[in-house]
């Protein structure tokens, strides 16, 4: 602004020499620049008469001196005080319209609504909290932190909130992003050659919101700089009484590298888990999905799937779809239990096949970034010994193998060493949360959860 004032003062200095003192004092000195729009300098005169005088007697002088100072601008508009008011009013309206057009485009999945969400013992609290936030954002639960295993309905609930808000409060700016999108958006600003400007765009995108939802926040775990950005974004929204909703596959305390200050920010609101659904809920979900997708299946299929798959609703849905498509391929209108068993035989078999010592060693090595040679070798280094003991522990947990056979895998160690390793980890995970998480993560990798 200072700079712009200076420019205008230079224009006045030129004009002062060009016109009579009276004209200058009466008409020109009182002109006030308000903005540059479409390459025109918009000026406001002190009265209708002043405007007319300037246009009638001094238009050329004004134009030339503006061009001399502003260089790229060679035209101007003079508004009377009355016109100024109209001008500002339409400007506000058009800005508002623009803002609406810039509203973050949210493509909420239309299938994921509160109505299509089956409520049972496992998810009734998280459902109630989500509904409450959807109905009254920024009032009771802020932030709302939803956590639970893969395929249990977290993303479904976030979209349900989004769909509900879009319908009932279309004026609110609601943004859903995955942690990955947020991270990429931020990393893009770092790579940009107009870093300042793109950081500004990033801020505008994330701080100019009424509701921000971030899915799968556990992936933020090791990215310190992104955490920093998220921390500031979070604080900014929170201080302005905006709603933040976060989903994660685990409790904040179990996101090992999450900074303490973010953890304590999350604790300011409601942290609510979503549990594995019980048998009845699984049945109800399967029935609902079959109905929605118009899959005609026997009730025995529903029972079979609900019994067989109890940890992941997405997988359960996948199995239902597979069964129906299989029956359809055989030209049947309706899928029976036999169809389900046939269609899913490979799925269930390969699951059993995947859990073997080879696979376990492989996943442990990858997790700890050690070689298999080291893992089964004789090294006594701490960074090798612990992974070795973890591998031993997981093998005893997941496979029904005689201790002597396990010893053979580890270069012929005897069974007492195996027992020692197993018990050591079993004991340690009771108190060491990091280790407990590591073991769970590796097991999930092996079981492909
Ligand atoms: P998450 O984000 O927790 O991994 P999703 O929200 O993606 O899980 O859910 C996986 C699938 O299971 C989705 O198709 C979702 O519609 C379905 N689902 C999960 N919970 C329920 C529920 N309670 N009622 C109906 N469908 C559900
Ligand atoms: Mg999800």
């Amino acid at each position: 602004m200072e700079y712009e004032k200076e420019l205008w003062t230079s224009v006045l200095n030129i004009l002062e020499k060009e016109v009579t003192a009276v004209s200058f004092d009466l008409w020109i000195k009182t002109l006030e620049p308000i903005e540059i729009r479409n390459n025109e300098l918009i000026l406001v005169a002190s009265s209708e008469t002043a405007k007319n005088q300037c246009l009638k007697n001094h238009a050329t002088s004004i134009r030339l001196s503006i061009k001399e100072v502003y260089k790229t601008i060679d035209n101007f508009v003079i508004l009377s005080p009355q016109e100024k008011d109209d001008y500002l009013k339409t400007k506000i309206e058009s800005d508002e319209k623009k803002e609406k057009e810039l509203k973050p485009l949210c493509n909420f999945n239309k299938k994921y609504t509160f109505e299509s969400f089956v409520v049972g013992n496992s998810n009734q609290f998280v459902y109630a909290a989500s509904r409450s936030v959807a109905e009254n954002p920024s009032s009771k639960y802020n932030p709302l932190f939803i956590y639970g295993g893969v395929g249990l309905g977290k993303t479904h609930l976030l979209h349900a909130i989004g769909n509900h808000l879009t319908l009932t409060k279309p004026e609110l700016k609601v943004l859903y992003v995955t942690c990955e999108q947020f991270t990429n958006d931020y990393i893009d600003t770092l790579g940009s050659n107009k870093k300042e400007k793109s950081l500004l765009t990033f801020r505008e995108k994330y701080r100019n919101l009424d509701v921000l939802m971030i899915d799968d926040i556990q992936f933020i775990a090791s990215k310190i700089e992104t955490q920093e950005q998220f921390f500031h974004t979070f604080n900014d929204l929170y201080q302005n009484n905006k709603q933040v909703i976060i989903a994660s596959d685990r409790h904040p305390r179990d996101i090992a590298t999450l900074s303490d200050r973010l953890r304590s920010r999350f604790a300011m609101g409601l942290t609510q888990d979503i549990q594995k659904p019980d048998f009845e809920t699984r049945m109800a979900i399967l029935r609902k999905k079959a109905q929605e997708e118009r899959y005609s299946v026997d009730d025995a299929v529903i029972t079979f799937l609900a019994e067989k798959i109890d940890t992941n609703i997405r997988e359960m849905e996948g199995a239902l779809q597979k069964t129906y498509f299989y029956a359809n391929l055989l030209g049947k209108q309706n899928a029976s239990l036999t169809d389900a068993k046939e269609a899913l035989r490979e799925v269930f078999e390969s699951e059993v096949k995947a859990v073997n010592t080879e696979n376990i060693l492989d996943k442990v090595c990858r997790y700890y970034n050690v070689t298999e040679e080291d893992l089964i070798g004789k090294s006594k280094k701490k960074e090798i010994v612990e992974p070795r003991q973890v591998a031993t522990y997981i093998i005893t947990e997941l496979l029904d193998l005689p201790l002597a056979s396990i010893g053979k895998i580890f270069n012929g160690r005897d069974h007492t060493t195996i027992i020692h390793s197993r018990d050591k980890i079993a004991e340690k995970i009771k108190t060491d949360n990091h280790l407990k998480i590591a073991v769970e993560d590796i097991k999930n990798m092996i079981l492909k959860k």
Side-chain angles (χ1 to χ4, degrees), residues 78 106 152 164 217 229 232 297 301 320 347 362:
I78 299 182
C106 268
L152 296 184
H164 187 88
I217 197 85
Q229 265 316 308
H232 292 307
V297 297
V301 172
L320 175 72
V347 178
D362 177 53

Side-chain angles (χ1 to χ4, degrees), residues 245-263:
I245 308 165
I246 301 152
S248 160
D249 73 349
R250 59 191 81 173
H251 192 282
R253 106 186 131 235
D254 296 330
I255 305 176
T257 51
L258 190 69
S259 75
D260 281 339
R261 44 186 205 159
L262 260 181
R263 206 171 285 142

